[in-house]
Amino acid sequence: MRNLASLLFAGGLAFLLMAIAALLPFGHPPVLAGGAILEQAADQVGAANIVTAVVLGYRGLDTLGEITILFAAAAGLGLVLGRRRAGAPRDPDAGPVLRTGAALMFPLLVLVGFHIILHGHLTPGGGFQGGVILAAAFFLPLLARPGTPVDHPGLSLVEGTAGAVFIVTGLVALLTGGEFLQPLLGTGTLGTLFSAGTLPILYLALGLKVGAELAGLLARLADAETDT
Amino acid sequence: MMPAGLPFLFYAGAIGLLVIGISGIVLSRNLFRIILALALAEAGANLLLVLAGWHWGGSAPILGQGKALETMVDPVPQALVLTAIVIGVGIQALALALAVRAYRAYGTLDMRRLRNRMNRDIAAAAGIPAESSRDAPAGGRPTPPVPAAHRSGGGRA
């Protein structure tokens, strides 16, 4: 009975969404804000990747709120899982393939992560994507050897510093007469690495913060005791 | 210009993912599967959002590649989806942590067993028979016993 009601609900939802979708002119969206942003972003922000211009230039405050949510989730996860007891059993080390692979992949992943973060204003990618790759790089050794100690205070330090850099950059913009988190330092030449003003700095801070946060979060999840 | 049936396929894919995810959430009994279904529903919702800004023959909203501004897709939904993905990761991590915690406390991830054991524990803590429904009127219930920690706190009331 309950399953039947659930299926009816899911079917009704699908019908409702399809009905709404059928009303929309597919492939011809009414581009209002997006069109204006496409036209003005090059002059106002100077980032070749317009998604970056939107994420950091036009709604930087929103992004700050977003990393606050991520921080709250990571803090809540640490709180819920609690501290690991000293003598709790761990999984054994992985086989030689995963261990060698992890050692080989680590520098490559760090390099790719930083590349994606630093080119976030030019090519697809940015702080969030690169940060996730950095977190994966630091989580991989933990998968290969579950006993590897994790430097949680160090991760917190990186995370806190990066968050502070993000907010201070915004406050500097506020002090120099602009809006909070407004891009500074001019727009530079479109498409070069040192363009779009403070956007690369913001994205670097964002990437390090997301990377440190996710690495700590994954380490805590992997480290959680379940067999008590 | 618009191939017939193709828009239906795009939308059906996105809405299908969303509905499969939601069906999984309401039909599954295993907590871990519910979290996986949540991730699936999220993917469908994100796809739907990206589709909302897409247009035929559109190119990525990146300047300096010889593409005209008019062909670029709307960057706003893409930025929104970036936000949604990151928040989704946070939600999933927190949900997994809660599931780990529930498993540690009750030794199962099955929703029905979890609910039974929780009800039993709550009933035991409140000093009422385990079979009584939590929706029953509260008037007939005896007052919960004072926990030992408070009782032995000296002779005061």
Side-chain angles (χ1 to χ4, degrees):
Chain A
M1 188 57 217
R2 185 173 163 272
N3 285 359
L4 191 68
S6 308
L7 280 178
L8 272 178
F9 167 70
L13 185 76
F15 176 74
L16 198 70
L17 285 171
M18 287 308 263
I20 294 173
L23 290 178
L24 293 175
F26 182 80
H28 303 281
V31 184
L32 302 171
I37 285 172
L38 280 175
E39 278 167 21
Q40 298 169 13
D43 298 327
Q44 285 181 346
V45 182
N49 183 353
I50 296 179
V51 177
T52 298
V54 174
V55 166
L56 288 178
Y58 290 109
R59 32 173 289 239
L61 189 63
D62 230 15
T63 306
L64 183 62
E66 187 185 345
I67 55 176
T68 312
I69 289 178
L70 199 62
F71 171 75
L77 184 126
L79 199 68
V80 166
L81 285 180
R83 194 176 286 270
R84 185 186 175 84
R85 286 172 310 159
R90 288 180 187 278
D91 291 339
D93 281 5
V97 174
L98 185 52
R99 274 183 282 143
T100 316
L104 277 175
M105 289 295 284
F106 178 75
L108 288 176
L109 280 174
V110 170
L111 188 71
V112 171
F114 273 110
H115 180 273
I116 286 184
I117 291 175
L118 289 175
H119 290 73
H121 57 300
L122 304 177
T123 52
F128 291 111
Q129 297 90 324
V132 171
I133 295 176
L134 282 185
F138 285 95
F139 183 56
L140 209 53
L142 209 65
L143 274 184
R145 294 175 193 272
T148 315
V150 182
D151 184 13
H152 281 295
L155 285 177
S156 301
L157 187 71
V158 171
E159 186 191 319
T161 315
V165 166
F166 195 92
I167 294 175
V168 165
T169 314
L171 286 178
V172 167
L174 197 64
L175 287 179
T176 50
E179 304 279 335
F180 184 62
L181 283 172
Q182 186 179 7
L184 297 172
L185 307 176
T187 56
T189 320
L190 187 78
T192 55
L193 187 58
F194 294 100
S195 65
T198 47
L199 252 58
I201 300 172
L202 286 177
Y203 242 172
L204 185 62
L206 200 66
L208 287 177
K209 186 167 165 59
V210 169
E213 220 148 53
L214 283 181
L217 196 145
L218 286 171
R220 277 189 206 284
L221 262 185
D223 227 24
E225 297 174 59
T226 49
D227 44 355
T228 48
Chain B
M1 177 176 176
M2 187 190 294
L6 208 52
F8 172 76
L9 259 184
F10 281 134
Y11 274 135
I15 293 172
L17 265 181
L18 187 63
V19 170
I20 289 171
I22 288 178
S23 314
I25 291 172
V26 291
L27 288 175
S28 303
R29 283 173 54 188
N30 188 306
L31 260 185
F32 186 67
R33 287 191 189 182
I34 291 178
I35 296 171
L36 284 185
L38 184 72
L40 213 61
E42 226 173 73
N46 288 340
L47 197 55
L48 207 57
L49 261 177
V50 169
L51 272 180
W54 187 80
H55 58 75
W56 294 99
S59 61
I62 292 172
L63 301 170
Q65 294 187 329
K67 298 272 170 58
L69 274 180
E70 291 73 39
T71 66
M72 287 182 187
V73 298
D74 195 342
V76 177
Q78 300 204 359
L80 282 177
V81 167
L82 187 58
T83 311
I85 290 173
V86 173
I87 290 174
V89 167
I91 289 173
Q92 282 156 32
L94 198 58
L96 280 174
L98 288 171
V100 165
R101 194 64 199 224
Y103 186 80
R104 217 190 288 168
Y106 293 102
T108 179
L109 283 177
D110 186 293
M111 284 295 276
R112 283 184 206 171
R113 283 188 209 152
L114 215 54
R115 192 178 296 127
N116 285 342
R117 288 177 197 184
M118 264 181 185
N119 281 343
R120 205 184 55 204
D121 279 10
I122 291 170
I128 53 173
E131 304 84 52
S132 68
S133 162
R134 62 202 158 104
D135 302 323
R141 284 182 189 171
T143 40
V146 183
H150 289 274
R151 218 180 315 167
S152 60
R156 291 169 302 174

